[in-house]
Amino acid sequence: MTQGTTQQTRSEPLPETVIDCSELTTRDINQALRDHAAAGTEAVTLLNPAGRHNLAVGLASPMRIAIQGPVGYYCGGLSDGITLDIEGNCGWSVGENLMSGQICVKGSASANAAATARGGTICVLGNAGPRAGISLKGATLIVRGNAGPSSAFMMQQGRLIICGDAGENLGDSIYDGEIFVGGRVASLGADARFEPMTDSDWTMLTSTLAPFDIAAQEYDFKKIVCAKELYHFKAREFSKWKDAY
Amino acid sequence: MTDPVLYTSSTFTPQVIDAIQTRAELGRYHIRGFGALRNLPRLDDLVFLTASLTRLPLEGYREKCDTKTVLGTRYAKRPMELEIPITIAGMSFGALSCNAKVALGQAATWLGTSTTTGDGGMLPAEREASSKLVYQCLPSRYGFDPRDLRQADAVEIVVGQGAKPGGGGLLLGQKVNQVVAGMRTLPEGVDQRSPCRHPDWIGPDDLKIKIEELREATNWEIPIYVKMGATRVKDDVKLAVKAGADVIVLDGMEGGTAATQSIFQEHVGIPTLPAIVQAVEALKESNVYGEVQLLVSGGIRSGPDVAKALALGADAVSIGTSSLIAMGCNKPIYVEDYRALGTEPYHCHHCHTGRCPVGIATQDEELMARLPVEEAATHVANYLQAMVMETQSIARACGKSNVHNLEREDLVALTLEASAMAKLPLAGTDFIMGIGHQPGH
Ligand SMILES: Cc1cc2nc3c(=O)[nH]c(=O)nc-3n(C[C@H](O)[C@H](O)[C@H](O)COP(=O)(O)O)c2cc1C
Ligand code: SF4
């Protein structure tokens, strides 16, 4: 058993386990999480993360993890099926390439939240920095506050829901997927366009936001999708292409 | 009447005229496959000083010449152990047909070497065919899947490629069929433009954290390579080393691609020859030469190319274009189909069209059927084997019982520019261009 974790055996998984990060290396912490996952532990709490990078990465089990404090880059990155609560702010690329599961950041997230995430849900209850949902490939990213510029850049599939304001160049070079913004949109990027909201959009927003205690109806959501004008190069449309190709 | 004397402009050559008129038609830059077409200073400009009286050659039939190559000894628990110093470079499924990918994997497996995925993810059939598979982590992250990552024998973070350093990927709509679109999470038939920067990190300080993430996700078991196109090689190699790379993959401007702007292929980056020299210097200055391995690519075609790269200090080479040529690229068969593309065998660089006459760079079922996997794999394996034998022949003739013992001292330069770039004496002299006379050389 990895140093610093409470004692546990494979035959008797404890319902909750606490790992104090302060004396451990990142390797030790992640290995301890892996060991707990293998032992069938249902929930683990990490204490004193102190902004450390790469916590809870590459995990592939349905374990619940609560991190009590701020984390650095890539928290929960490359994971599949975890339920992760971060009681603090997080650095770049939280939930990067997530395959499935749920990550909830109680504070704010820095740049590239949910970068290239393919499945699952990432919810940031504070604000998100630039490029939130960059290259999103199927996951849902919810930002209760505002999101920075170039969010959903080159988004391919999935949903970006920003309850607050969106920075400049929203959805630039988007291929597919849906963006919803409850506040103001500073500007749209190349090939992104507004589309009228439908009843099914409101139904989806209501059910997607409810688990995070966000009432969709309190926001004036607007929908943004791909205009599909950059799908194929057209010589006559140079003004569109000069910055895009 | 006598034939008129034709004058050709050196400024507006037929190729330049064609390039201008192509742009006038398209309204955009020209996109094509292959690497630089122009002449470049290359490894051909170096020759070996093999044994005579000052050195003893090894006997080909009796004396062994080892080719074992180990990559990724710095941090990985399971370094990549190869039987030969030649690997197959990353070429995407999407750019290449499934048959081509499987044939490359099969050939690499027979020879005990590695092959590499590409932009578009890991094809299950490729994983099955390849005993050692390097998994690329590219800016696009098309199909990137932690489950595939855990099945990989190494990870290669692609910062850039020699054919287009600083540029992103392109795959024209005709190749984005249902399967390719599905693997890449893209709309079918779209002209795919992929980013040149990674979505989750930007500079070398971030790269260090990215590398740690990949190591944590793979339990520090497999090596992490960092691939770069050759531009500011010395600084870039030092930064990649500092970020924690196990292996530097350096791709010179000759390096092939399935599609990019031809201006990149011809005008961007530096050739493989000076790139190797600068990379070795950077590794030495960082005190990691021998600890961080150097894998070079870009225009490697033969045993002599391999031997020269090793003698200059590389640990191994990687091949793209020549492996495709071994399986039939540019072969004079299906000539009418080359003509339909506006080209001829030996001149084709039309991988971007998706209409590859020999079934390699296509997603068209009918064309792909022209490439039987077993035969293609045999040709690639034979070619690899021949290159290894050539490399060994040169090493033995230099008196070396291990191809990795080839050294700079075995080489001289044929041209002043190669002398300057390789910092080797001009053949028959003790003069190194840029350094001066070095008595004793
Ligand atoms: C058809 C084709 C597809 C390629 N696809 C990729 C790719 O997906 N990722 C990558 O890093 N490099 C790609 N490359 C570049 C190769 O990995 C390698 O750098 C190059 O081929 C080496 O030069 P050479 O072709 O002269 O051997 C591709 C090259 C070719 C010819
Ligand atoms: S023959 Fe096929 S693989 Fe070779 S250059 Fe032409 S299209 Fe590309």
Side-chain angles (χ1 to χ4, degrees):
Chain A
M1 182 98 315
T2 312
Q3 199 194 1
T5 67
T6 53
Q7 281 300 308
Q8 189 159 343
T9 63
R10 183 175 276 274
S11 53
E12 286 177 77
L14 294 175
E16 178 136 359
T17 304
V18 176
I19 300 173
D20 185 344
C21 299
S22 35
E23 299 296 314
L24 299 177
T25 64
T26 306
R27 183 80 282 264
D28 291 338
I29 300 163
N30 284 324
Q31 189 58 49
L33 289 174
R34 254 178 251 286
D35 291 345
H36 279 299
T41 307
E42 282 165 21
V44 177
T45 300
L46 300 189
L47 300 178
N48 302 311
R52 197 192 293 249
H53 304 309
N54 291 319
L55 290 180
V57 302
L59 296 173
S61 75
M63 193 162 58
R64 288 188 70 89
I65 302 165
I67 305 185
Q68 304 285 347
V71 295
Y73 282 37
Y74 291 116
C75 192
L78 295 168
S79 286
D80 197 354
I82 53 170
T83 304
L84 172 63
D85 286 314
I86 301 165
E87 306 278 348
N89 298 326
C90 65
W92 280 32
S93 306
V94 62
E96 177 261 335
N97 215 113
L98 187 74
M99 299 301 290
S100 67
Q102 181 180 299
I103 299 178
C104 183
V105 183
K106 302 289 164 66
S108 289
S110 187
N112 318 326
T116 196
R118 295 180 62 182
T121 301
I122 295 150
C123 178
V124 178
L125 294 178
N127 298 317
R131 303 182 296 279
I134 182 172
S135 293
L136 203 65
K137 290 181 173 59
T140 297
L141 171 63
I142 301 164
V143 181
R144 191 168 65 179
N146 306 324
S150 293
S151 289
F153 175 66
M154 284 200 146
M155 174 178 181
Q156 293 171 233
Q157 223 172 66
R159 283 194 187 107
L160 170 59
I161 306 170
I162 303 165
C163 299
D165 299 338
E168 288 173 356
N169 267 329
L170 178 67
D172 194 278
S173 297
I174 178 175
Y175 280 107
D176 209 347
E178 296 171 334
I179 307 170
F180 297 91
V181 180
R184 282 174 298 121
V185 175
S187 67
L188 293 183
D191 217 20
R193 68 167 169 83
F194 288 103
E195 188 174 87
M197 291 284 292
T198 64
D199 289 348
S200 67
D201 290 332
W202 281 109
T203 309
M204 179 281 297
L205 286 170
T206 304
S207 64
T208 307
L209 297 178
F212 302 97
D213 290 329
I214 304 173
Q217 305 298 335
E218 288 178 10
Y219 299 90
D220 173 25
F221 276 110
K222 293 157 281 292
K223 184 178 182 183
I224 295 113
V225 294
C226 180
K228 305 188 179 177
E229 288 176 355
L230 297 182
Y231 271 23
H232 298 286
F233 178 78
K234 295 186 197 78
R236 288 258 162 256
E237 296 177 359
F238 181 62
S239 58
K240 284 189 195 125
W241 280 93
K242 70 183 195 321
D243 298 322
Y245 215 67
Chain B
M1 205 175 119
T2 54
D3 287 340
V5 177
L6 298 177
Y7 292 91
T8 309
S9 167
S10 297
T11 308
F12 292 95
T13 59
Q15 283 87 354
V16 171
I17 291 171
D18 179 61
I20 291 173
Q21 289 170 353
T22 301
R23 281 175 275 174
E25 285 275 327
L26 289 173
R28 61 158 161 80
Y29 42 68
H30 178 222
I31 295 169
R32 66 167 174 82
F34 255 60
L37 300 180
R38 61 142 89 182
N39 198 19
L40 293 167
R42 58 183 88 237
L43 293 166
D44 282 344
D45 302 333
L46 304 178
V47 286
F48 282 99
L49 304 181
T50 48
S52 180
L53 281 179
T54 50
R55 304 273 190 288
L56 194 65
L58 298 192
E59 198 71 76
Y61 301 104
R62 281 178 283 166
E63 286 163 318
K64 275 183 47 174
C65 180
D66 203 353
T67 58
K68 275 213 163 40
T69 301
V70 185
L71 304 176
T73 55
R74 190 184 193 188
Y75 294 122
K77 286 186 215 156
R78 266 196 292 133
M80 183 72 91
E81 293 185 9
L82 308 173
E83 294 301 320
I84 61 172
I86 310 170
T87 68
I88 304 291
M91 292 180 277
S92 68
F93 165 67
L96 296 188
S97 64
C98 176
N99 287 11
K101 283 301 275 177
V102 172
L104 290 170
Q106 183 63 72
T109 301
W110 286 335
L111 269 287
T113 190
S114 62
T115 185
T116 314
T117 63
D119 206 1
M122 187 188 283
L123 197 61
E126 173 184 31
R127 175 63 276 191
E128 211 171 292
S130 314
S131 66
K132 297 168 205 297
L133 184 58
V134 183
Y135 189 39
Q136 285 200 328
C137 176
L138 293 117
S140 71
R141 305 292 167 82
Y142 292 140
F144 197 85
D145 189 328
R147 290 166 282 207
D148 292 335
L149 175 66
R150 286 191 287 274
Q151 290 190 58
D153 302 293
V155 198
E156 181 168 297
I157 301 176
V158 179
V159 177
Q161 279 174 243
K164 46 184 166 183
L170 281 172
L171 194 68
L172 297 184
Q174 50 271 48
K175 291 176 98 167
V176 186
N177 70 2
Q178 201 184 1
V179 180
V180 172
M183 273 181 82
R184 298 182 183 213
T185 329
L186 285 172
E188 200 179 327
V190 74
D191 283 346
Q192 167 229 293
R193 298 163 292 128
S194 39
C196 56
R197 287 212 302 250
H198 283 258
D200 50 345
W201 64 272
I202 291 182
D205 295 334
D206 298 343
L207 174 59
K208 183 167 189 222
I209 306 169
K210 178 71 193 172
I211 289 178
E212 187 191 45
E213 185 210 24
L214 290 167
R215 288 203 194 279
E216 286 296 321
T218 54
N219 282 328
W220 290 69
E221 282 184 7
I222 58 176
I224 302 204
Y225 302 5
V226 174
K227 174 174 180 175
M228 296 180 285
T231 55
R232 292 179 183 82
V233 174
K234 260 191 145 169
D235 290 340
D236 288 338
V237 168
K238 285 181 184 176
L239 289 170
V241 165
K242 199 161 163 238
D246 291 310
V247 175
I248 305 292
V249 183
L250 192 63
D251 197 21
M253 77 176 284
E254 298 93 319
T257 176
T260 194
Q261 296 94 316
S262 56
I263 50 155
F264 270 126
Q265 286 142 322
E266 304 296 346
H267 299 283
V268 171
I270 68 168
T272 301
L273 164 59
I276 304 173
V277 178
Q278 287 204 315
V280 170
E281 283 175 6
L283 292 175
K284 287 184 174 161
E285 285 168 23
S286 302
N287 291 319
V288 291
Y289 185 65
E291 182 186 344
V292 172
Q293 283 78 33
L294 176 65
L295 181 57
V296 298
S297 57
I300 303 292
R301 305 149 298 173
S302 63
D305 283 347
V306 180
K308 288 170 192 175
L310 298 187
L312 288 174
D315 293 277
V317 301
S318 206
I319 57 168
T321 306
S322 63
S323 67
L324 307 184
I325 293 175
M327 65 168 90
C329 156
N330 269 293
K331 199 172 185 165
I333 49 175
Y334 305 109
V335 175
E336 285 312 312
D337 291 335
Y338 285 96
R339 293 195 178 135
L341 290 172
T343 187
E344 293 282 338
Y346 306 109
H347 301 275
C348 185
H349 47 251
H350 292 56
C351 310
H352 61 289
T353 63
R355 304 293 309 158
C356 175
V358 292
I360 296 171
T362 184
Q363 294 304 317
D364 181 283
E365 293 286 337
E366 233 171 81
L367 292 173
M368 210 195 310
R370 295 178 181 181
L371 189 77
V373 173
E374 187 78 11
E375 188 185 308
T378 303
H379 283 145
V380 176
N382 287 349
Y383 168 61
L384 282 170
Q385 191 170 300
M387 274 208 287
V388 174
M389 290 168 78
E390 289 170 356
T391 310
Q392 286 174 304
S393 297
I394 289 173
R396 282 200 189 94
C398 289
K400 309 286 168 42
S401 59
N402 187 318
V403 292
H404 297 289
N405 293 346
L406 284 163
E407 55 195 321
R408 289 173 56 82
E409 205 260 337
D410 296 320
L411 291 169
V412 289
L414 289 179
T415 64
L416 284 174
E417 60 188 12
S419 166
M421 289 178 186
K423 298 180 186 156
L424 286 170
L426 192 62
T429 76
D430 61 6
F431 178 73
I432 301 177
M433 186 69 189
I435 295 177
H437 288 278
Q438 303 280 301
H441 256 294

